[in-house]
Amino acid sequence: MFKHFLLIARRNLLKRKFYSFINIIGLAIGMTCCILIALYVENELSYDRYNTKHDHIYRVAQTFRSFEKGQKVTTPLPEDYQVWGCAPVGPALAADFPQVKDVVQFMSPVSLLLEFGDKRLQQENLVCIDSTAFKVFSWKLLYGNPQTALVAPNSIVLTQKVAEKFFGNDNPVGKSLRVNNGDNFTVTGVVADVPANSQINFNGLISMTTARKWREDIFNYWGYVDFYTYFVLKDHADIAAMKAGIPAFIKRHNSEDPGYTIAFEKMDDAYLYSKAARQPGPVGSMSNIYLFCCIGIIILIIACVNFMNLSTARSLERAKEVGVRKVMGVQPSALRWQFLFESLLISTVAAVLAVVLTKFSLPLVSALSGKDFTPKEFFNFQLFIWMVGLTLTTGLLAGVYPAWFLSRFQPVEVLKGVFRPSVNSISLRKALVIFQFTLSITLIAGTAIVYTELKFLNNHDLGFAKDQMLVLNFEGDEQVQKNIERIKKSLADQPGVLSVAASRAVPGEFLPNAGTDIQGPDGQMKNKIPLIYEIDFDFIKTLQIPLVAGRNYSRAFLTDSTQSMVINEAAAKMYGYRHPADAVGKKFAQWGRQGTIIGVVKNFNFRSLHTEVEPLTLRYGMPDMLNRILVAVKADHISATIAALEKTWKTEAPQRPFLYHFLDESFNKQYESDQHFGYLFSLFSCLASLIACLGLFGLATFTAQQRIKEIGIRKVLGASVSNIVVLISKDFMRLVLIAIVIAIPLCLLIMNQWLKDFAYRITISPGIFIATAAISILIALVTISWQTVRAALANPVPSIKNE
């Protein structure tokens, strides 16, 4: 039986090569999309799962809210928490909860100048961490002892990539690195590079005892925020019991702060499900995963619909075959199995082709997604099992209805030549064409909306000047800090430089919060926790941030550096001022400094446009708090200006390498994940449209062949080529127009939900759908016209003579 089915299937595939090609290519592209989307989704779902204890690891989320005296303390919402918190909570958890096995804390990454011999590099993303790191996280040490590597002060563990920069392939344990032209750090280990699908990434680990040596006081202060706290739960311990004990825990340790509380988040949920702010690394989007899964299913369904449409459309060709077989005694069930076997055979061929297409697509998808998909990881036993399942699913999904439809033909009608396709079968084909084009058009319109939103983000007025703005990174170098004004002046004297400023951070970078008291409209001091920029006199002017009330910092006022503060509109509103001008002259107290508000700047987007502008204080920063120099340069001769700046820097700060980047480039990195999403969305939308067009092309070809005699007669009677093209095309175009009408509200529903992730978003305009409709109609016309024009131009004589 199997051999018989294989023989018949082979004959049919070879006999109708064109339709077989369309079916196989369509299914192969659909399967390829499913595989690629599955790889992407698997990567997103696997974040932090490389840790062997991942299902027992939790982290502490903390709230630092402010409540005035007498104000009711409300239950915090999930978005009120942040993962970035204080240090004392870690030891307190270990002491109070017997369920806790190990606790590890690490600080925000720092950038240090490392030197070994003649090699001198500014190394980013170095993290101070507890010695228990290797007990909690599954980071593999290539050299060194995990028990002692992070115990002693001035100990550093390098990643393999960084170690190779300084020491090649040698074992560096025991060797010293000079740090920031001062202390020597001893290399106590080399850790294998952390997997890319990890929220916690670093280039090196510094012992926490080193940080204690730098600032012992912050480790006992519940109000100082710069630590991430993770812990391992003991086997069979109950996290619910720990959560129930949180109120008593807070009462014992920090009862004086009503706005402080903690919550526990499972590490497995951190990347995709956490709503807490100040994450230690990248975060994913569960809605994007759902969307891509839907796209994968949609594309596969469109490919299967093509198969069903072409199979049922060609029913007349196979009707006699079915009739003869039934007369010879073949049961309908056997015929169904035969047609299902053909479908599974086509699906199998398509699956093999899909694996090949996927292999060659991996570099492109890696570039578009920002993830590293390698063929080595791709080809495994899991893929084999997955492909078997996908092949069976696709074959059955595409073949069940055609098998049932074809096996129902009545042999008497077929062999008499009176068989005609039923109205129901024709209606179903039309419905399937509408269905697949509805999905395709929805994806095309969705792509247009995604790119319109991303363009809006790139072109949105942020409220400050970021173009032609160089950021020189000196990471708190003491010599630069001491001579900051002289260095700024030397840089400002170079041709092509418009202005120079200094600050602790620049827009797009990490900012701390600061407990700040500001006098409210009622005259009482109100305590809130806004963000803080530490800046110099020239920061606001250089970034061209508009003032809406009061004045900027000025060297003409001696108290500006010690008794003055500038805030933004959001901060003025938070403290109760409807009009920014009313906040000018009010008293403030912040981090040991007291004085008055001298100005209010217009809200500017110093963070991603995913969030609204937050309350911000712009505090004058003493030189020992500054890390960045901003240089506004003219648009012309930028290369020459940079060369002049580098020469000046080497003269003024020879101990420090000249490191710079453009502010707009670093700021736009916040939207990399959105850009990658847009690239992938566009790719899969194009492929979905291609598959739909393949099906339409096949149907148009078949329709033209079926109506070849009618076309010949019409030509003889004087019909023009355009008349015939319109005749054949109008039925298909009617279906496409119906699909457009259905796709518009469907797209609006889906994309409005996606846009909710952006605080600043476009309003979806009718123009997007008009353009999408025009593109869809044009694509359909081009697809159909290839065959209809060919049929209309053919010589009518052979078609009329053939009977």
Side-chain angles (χ1 to χ4, degrees):
M1 182 68 74
F2 176 80
K3 185 177 180 182
H4 174 71
F5 283 172
L6 184 62
L7 179 64
I8 298 299
R10 179 176 172 274
R11 284 177 180 172
N12 275 300
L13 285 175
L14 296 177
K15 181 179 179 181
R16 302 171 179 88
K17 296 182 180 68
F18 175 74
Y19 299 107
S20 299
F21 173 79
I22 288 180
N23 280 329
I24 291 171
I25 288 296
L27 289 176
I29 295 174
M31 288 181 172
T32 301
C33 291
C34 285
I35 297 170
L36 293 173
I37 289 172
L39 287 172
Y40 175 84
V41 170
E42 182 184 34
N43 181 275
E44 290 288 283
L45 295 176
S46 67
Y47 260 73
D48 295 319
R49 301 298 175 94
Y50 68 90
N51 290 292
T52 55
K53 301 176 184 177
H54 66 86
D55 55 343
H56 283 74
I57 299 176
Y58 289 78
R59 66 182 187 181
V60 182
Q62 307 176 50
T63 64
F64 298 89
R65 299 180 298 161
S66 57
F67 291 95
E68 298 174 25
K69 190 174 182 180
Q71 184 180 356
K72 183 180 178 181
V73 178
T74 58
T75 303
L77 299 172
E79 52 267 28
D80 291 330
Y81 287 92
Q82 61 182 45
V83 191
W84 201 43
C86 59
V89 71
L93 283 174
D96 287 22
F97 292 102
Q99 298 97 323
V100 174
K101 184 178 181 181
D102 292 299
V103 176
V104 63
Q105 292 183 300
F106 57 92
M107 301 177 70
S108 303
V110 296
S111 177
L112 299 175
L113 182 63
L114 303 181
E115 186 176 356
F116 179 77
D118 59 348
K119 295 175 182 176
R120 198 158 168 260
L121 299 171
Q122 183 74 30
Q123 192 59 62
E124 307 282 341
N125 205 17
L126 302 174
V127 175
C128 292
I129 194 167
D130 285 333
S131 59
T132 52
F134 296 105
K135 291 183 179 180
V136 177
F137 304 118
S138 302
W139 298 332
K140 182 182 177 182
L141 265 183
L142 304 177
Y143 298 107
N145 185 340
Q147 305 298 324
T148 60
L150 293 168
V151 173
N154 289 11
S155 297
I156 186 169
V157 174
L158 303 175
T159 60
Q160 186 177 5
K161 189 181 295 183
V162 174
E164 288 175 355
K165 290 180 183 177
F166 289 98
F167 307 104
N169 295 320
D170 296 338
N171 180 357
V173 173
K175 296 181 179 179
S176 293
L177 286 171
R178 193 181 182 203
V179 179
N180 283 354
N181 301 307
D183 292 343
N184 287 324
F185 280 17
T186 302
V187 179
T188 53
V190 176
V191 64
D193 295 328
V194 178
N197 56 344
S198 173
Q199 248 206 334
I200 304 170
N201 283 285
F202 52 85
N203 290 318
L205 302 172
I206 302 169
S207 61
M208 191 67 85
T209 50
T210 308
R212 282 185 175 274
K213 188 177 71 170
W214 290 338
R215 289 194 64 183
E216 177 67 35
D217 58 312
I218 63 176
F219 287 85
N220 300 310
Y221 182 31
W222 287 81
Y224 186 86
V225 178
D226 197 20
F227 294 83
Y228 296 94
T229 303
Y230 286 68
F231 64 89
V232 179
L233 205 64
K234 291 180 180 177
D235 293 339
H236 311 298
D238 186 9
I239 192 66
M242 286 187 66
K243 291 179 179 178
I246 287 175
F249 174 83
I250 299 298
K251 189 175 181 180
R252 281 194 300 274
H253 295 284
N254 197 20
S255 59
E256 296 180 0
D257 185 358
Y260 179 80
T261 189
I262 64 172
F264 304 132
E265 291 185 342
K266 196 170 184 179
M267 191 178 194
D268 285 353
D269 299 335
Y271 178 71
L272 288 172
Y273 298 99
S274 176
K275 293 185 178 180
R278 301 302 186 106
Q279 297 281 344
V283 292
S285 170
M286 202 63 209
S287 61
N288 284 356
I289 287 180
Y290 289 140
L291 192 56
F292 278 128
C293 287
C294 290
I295 290 173
I297 294 170
I298 285 170
I299 291 174
L300 191 61
I301 289 174
I302 290 174
C304 292
V305 165
N306 281 352
F307 185 94
M308 295 164 63
N309 258 341
L310 287 175
S311 297
T312 54
R314 288 170 45 231
S315 56
L316 283 173
E317 291 185 8
R318 304 203 67 176
K320 289 185 179 180
E321 174 191 345
V322 172
V324 171
R325 289 180 181 278
K326 281 192 171 184
V327 168
M328 294 176 66
V330 178
Q331 295 298 314
S333 59
L335 288 170
R336 285 193 285 272
W337 279 113
Q338 176 192 324
F339 294 130
L340 271 177
F341 180 83
E342 289 183 19
S343 174
L344 288 170
L345 180 61
I346 290 175
S347 180
T348 302
V349 175
V352 173
L353 182 58
V355 172
V356 175
L357 289 174
T358 302
K359 178 183 176 182
F360 288 104
S361 301
L362 287 178
L364 173 63
V365 175
S366 295
L368 295 180
S369 66
K371 299 179 181 295
D372 186 20
F373 298 121
T374 61
K376 184 179 179 181
E377 297 173 350
F378 170 66
F379 290 102
N380 51 43
F381 183 71
Q382 181 181 351
L383 172 70
F384 175 76
I385 298 298
W386 204 84
M387 286 306 301
V388 170
L390 182 62
T391 302
L392 291 174
T393 301
T394 304
L396 293 174
L397 184 64
V400 164
Y401 175 74
W404 174 81
F405 177 80
L406 293 171
S407 65
R408 290 177 65 248
F409 292 163
Q410 297 301 316
V412 175
E413 293 181 2
V414 169
L415 296 177
K416 280 184 176 181
V418 297
F419 171 76
R420 292 289 183 273
S422 68
V423 173
N424 289 337
S425 68
I426 295 172
S427 298
L428 177 62
R429 281 204 304 278
K430 290 180 178 180
L432 290 175
V433 170
I434 292 171
F435 174 73
Q436 65 178 177
F437 264 87
T438 297
L439 298 179
S440 298
I441 293 165
T442 300
L443 291 176
I444 292 172
T447 300
I449 292 168
V450 168
Y451 270 95
T452 304
E453 173 64 18
L454 294 178
K455 184 179 179 181
F456 173 78
L457 295 180
N458 289 329
N459 297 332
H460 182 73
D461 182 11
L462 300 174
F464 68 92
K466 65 181 175 68
D467 296 328
Q468 284 83 54
M469 188 72 66
L470 259 64
V471 180
L472 308 185
N473 179 3
F474 62 91
E475 287 296 345
D477 184 281
E478 291 184 8
Q479 294 300 315
V480 176
Q481 289 173 336
K482 287 178 182 178
N483 302 296
I484 190 70
E485 290 300 322
R486 190 192 75 207
I487 293 173
K488 282 174 54 183
K489 185 178 183 307
S490 297
L491 295 172
D493 289 340
Q494 301 308 309
V497 173
L498 297 173
S499 62
V500 180
S503 63
R504 183 178 178 180
V506 297
E509 292 185 339
F510 210 61
L511 293 180
N513 296 86
T516 306
D517 293 300
I518 293 181
Q519 188 179 19
D522 59 359
Q524 299 297 315
M525 299 297 284
K526 294 184 177 182
N527 180 263
K528 302 289 182 182
I529 312 175
L531 293 163
I532 179 173
Y533 261 127
E534 294 190 85
I535 63 174
D536 71 350
F537 290 111
D538 304 304
F539 183 87
I540 294 174
K541 179 187 69 175
T542 299
L543 286 179
Q544 300 176 31
I545 303 170
L547 277 161
V548 294
R551 62 177 179 84
N552 189 8
Y553 287 109
S554 171
R555 293 178 176 86
F557 296 87
L558 297 178
T559 58
D560 272 11
S561 62
T562 55
Q563 299 175 25
S564 300
M565 179 182 286
V566 175
I567 61 176
N568 70 347
E569 292 174 297
K573 183 178 180 180
M574 182 174 69
Y575 283 96
Y577 294 102
R578 294 180 59 189
H579 304 291
D582 295 338
V584 177
K586 302 303 180 182
K587 296 177 182 178
F588 80 88
Q590 181 191 69
W591 284 0
R593 186 181 297 179
Q594 296 181 357
T596 57
I597 305 294
I598 62 169
V600 180
V601 297
K602 187 177 180 63
N603 283 342
F604 65 100
N605 296 99
F606 53 90
R607 280 186 169 175
S608 161
L609 293 173
H610 281 277
T611 58
E612 300 221 10
V613 176
E614 298 175 72
L616 176 71
T617 61
L618 294 102
R619 168 190 173 107
Y620 179 84
M622 294 301 179
D624 61 352
M625 297 302 297
L626 304 178
N627 290 316
R628 308 283 188 269
I629 292 177
L630 295 100
V631 183
V633 299
K634 296 177 183 177
D636 53 341
H637 308 300
I638 289 180
S639 298
T641 302
I642 293 175
L645 291 173
E646 182 175 10
K647 184 178 179 180
T648 302
W649 185 265
K650 288 180 178 179
T651 301
E652 295 289 346
Q655 79 286 354
R656 196 85 199 169
F658 179 73
L659 302 173
Y660 73 92
H661 64 269
F662 284 95
L663 181 58
D664 58 343
E665 292 176 355
S666 60
F667 192 86
N668 289 339
K669 283 184 178 179
Q670 297 176 104
Y671 307 114
E672 276 187 349
S673 60
D674 298 313
Q675 294 285 357
H676 291 311
F677 171 80
Y679 297 149
L680 289 177
F681 197 98
S682 302
L683 172 66
F684 294 127
S685 297
C686 290
L687 291 175
S689 301
L690 173 63
I691 297 170
C693 288
L694 278 174
L696 191 62
F697 183 74
L699 281 176
T701 304
F702 183 79
T703 301
Q705 289 176 352
Q706 290 294 105
R707 301 177 70 175
I708 191 70
K709 186 170 292 186
E710 176 191 349
I711 292 169
I713 293 171
R714 288 180 180 275
K715 286 192 72 175
V716 169
L717 293 175
S720 66
V721 172
S722 59
N723 294 144
I724 294 171
V725 169
V726 170
L727 175 72
I728 299 176
S729 302
K730 67 180 181 180
D731 289 338
F732 290 111
M733 295 313 301
R734 188 180 295 117
L735 301 180
V736 174
L737 289 172
I738 294 172
I740 290 171
V741 172
I742 299 172
I744 289 173
L746 179 63
C747 182
L748 273 172
L749 179 68
I750 296 171
M751 296 314 296
N752 272 324
Q753 191 66 32
W754 178 76
L755 286 170
K756 285 182 179 179
D757 286 341
F758 299 88
Y760 299 86
R761 51 184 176 265
I762 61 168
T763 300
I764 301 176
S765 67
I768 290 176
F769 294 109
I770 293 172
T772 301
I775 292 170
S776 302
I777 292 170
L778 180 63
I779 291 172
L781 277 173
V782 170
T783 303
I784 298 166
S785 298
W786 178 266
Q787 283 300 326
T788 53
V789 170
R790 184 180 175 186
L793 292 173
N795 186 354
V797 176
S799 61
I800 297 174
K801 286 174 62 178
N802 183 29
E803 185 58 57

